[in-house]
Amino acid sequence: TNAAELLVFSDRCQVYKARCADFDDGKASLLGDYLPTKLGFDEGEETAIGASIVKTEYEKIIAERRQKIIISTCCHSVNTLVEKYYPEALPYLATVLSPMQAHCQKIKQEHSGVKTVFIGPCISKKAEAEAYPGLVDCVLTFEELSVWLKQEGITIEQGEDHLEESRARLFPTSGGILRTMNCDSPDYTYMVVDGIENVLAALDDIKEGRLKKCFIEMSICAGSCIGGPAMERERRRPITDTIAVNRYAGRKDFVVDQPDGKDLIKDHRF
């Protein structure tokens, strides 16, 4: 099972993007070439590239000790929860674009005039795209993608690809952000919090001042993104999916130019 995401763009000012974890053992290379062609687009990229950009910016925040507590901001549901109901924790949200936003921004900078469409398991990404216009033009869910593929009569060839420079493919799994980062600061505690009850408990701890000097990878969905709601029920296999992602991710980072930090700033305003 691929945790990769694809961004497919064309010279017709169109773009198609998908994360492939919902499709049984489809090769990322195959999905990047074959699937876009079948759907009328030109080529594809993994949004793990955007994840690699984001994790590097997280590392900089820790190295520069910008915040006492740092909450990862890949999960828009977490961001929204903090913005609406936990204003005390608002200063601790990392002011960094999500991987979806960072990747779409990179594509738009490299290919003038393209439109970006994110496809994944998360309903909340639709709200994120609307809240921050200009980067992601449309969001579809895996369920919507599945319907589209069936309508087009497309089946995905099973297989795997192995790219050593692909560590950020771990991002959609619980603990995947931390496993991608260099967690080497002795001044910070690194922790993973996923599932709504655990998230609420952690935010209460922050509100009451019980946490100090920590980086928290936080996701609303239990199991992180691979536990997202907008997938076909028969494809929900959290344990085997996590094992597959572990096997699929490489041990080195993607080779990608890191944008200037000011270009990755995300304003959490409500």
Side-chain angles (χ1 to χ4, degrees):
T1 300
N2 282 332
E5 295 166 329
L6 299 176
L7 187 60
V8 183
F9 51 91
S10 78
D11 57 7
R12 293 169 291 183
C13 295
Q14 294 176 303
V15 103
Y16 166 82
K17 178 180 174 300
R19 203 173 80 194
C20 308
D22 200 32
F23 304 98
D24 294 335
D25 293 333
K27 291 183 181 180
S29 56
L30 173 80
L31 292 167
D33 297 327
Y34 170 80
L35 182 59
T37 300
K38 287 292 185 179
L39 293 174
F41 301 93
D42 294 332
E43 60 181 284
E45 291 186 8
E46 295 182 58
T47 288
I49 293 171
S52 193
I53 291 171
V54 169
K55 77 94 183 177
T56 299
E57 194 62 22
Y58 287 162
E59 291 169 346
K60 289 181 180 179
I61 293 174
I62 294 171
E64 296 170 7
R65 294 172 173 79
R66 297 182 208 169
Q67 300 174 203
K68 293 184 296 182
I69 300 170
I70 306 162
I71 302 172
S72 66
T73 48
C74 298
C75 177
H76 186 67
S77 293
V78 167
N79 302 342
T80 303
L81 178 64
V82 171
E83 290 166 356
K84 289 185 175 182
Y85 300 109
Y86 287 88
E88 298 87 354
L90 196 57
Y92 304 125
L93 288 177
T95 54
V96 181
L97 297 177
S98 69
M100 174 185 78
Q101 293 173 309
H103 191 205
C104 287
Q105 176 175 266
K106 179 177 183 293
I107 291 294
K108 289 199 170 198
Q109 289 172 344
E110 295 174 349
H111 303 276
S112 178
V114 300
K115 301 294 183 182
T116 55
V117 180
F118 180 87
I119 302 179
C122 181
I123 297 171
S124 189
K125 287 298 178 184
K126 293 178 180 283
E128 182 178 39
E130 292 179 358
Y132 299 89
L135 295 178
V136 186
D137 297 292
C138 181
V139 172
L140 300 177
T141 67
F142 280 146
E143 291 172 329
E144 292 165 330
L145 177 59
S146 295
V147 171
W148 188 6
L149 292 175
K150 290 174 183 177
Q151 289 174 342
E152 297 295 329
I154 298 173
T155 56
I156 305 301
E157 176 185 322
Q158 291 191 2
E160 297 180 8
D161 83 354
H162 296 282
L163 176 66
E164 188 65 11
E165 294 83 10
S166 61
R167 187 164 56 153
R169 289 173 174 174
L170 293 168
F171 250 58
T173 63
S174 182
I177 296 176
L178 294 186
R179 292 175 63 196
T180 299
M181 293 171 55
N182 296 319
C183 302
D184 53 3
S185 173
D187 297 329
Y188 283 82
T189 299
Y190 299 86
M191 62 185 75
V192 178
V193 176
D194 62 51
I196 183 61
E197 292 184 0
N198 293 331
V199 166
L200 291 173
L203 291 175
D204 284 335
D205 281 342
I206 292 172
K207 179 180 177 179
E208 299 300 326
R210 290 190 285 266
L211 296 183
K212 306 291 183 183
K213 284 284 187 177
C214 59
F215 179 96
I216 309 173
E217 173 187 327
M218 193 174 287
S219 304
I220 285 289
C221 291
S224 195
C225 299
I226 61 172
M231 293 193 290
E232 295 177 341
R233 293 185 180 277
E234 64 270 19
R235 295 188 184 276
R236 293 183 180 275
R237 299 181 297 272
I239 303 303
T240 55
D241 283 353
T242 298
I243 293 171
V245 171
N246 288 340
R247 184 177 67 242
Y248 169 64
R251 296 187 178 184
K252 299 178 181 179
D253 291 332
F254 282 94
V255 179
V256 56
D257 292 334
Q258 185 68 15
D260 191 292
K262 69 178 186 300
D263 295 326
L264 297 172
I265 293 174
K266 183 171 187 173
D267 182 13
H268 299 285
R269 54 183 181 272
F270 175 68

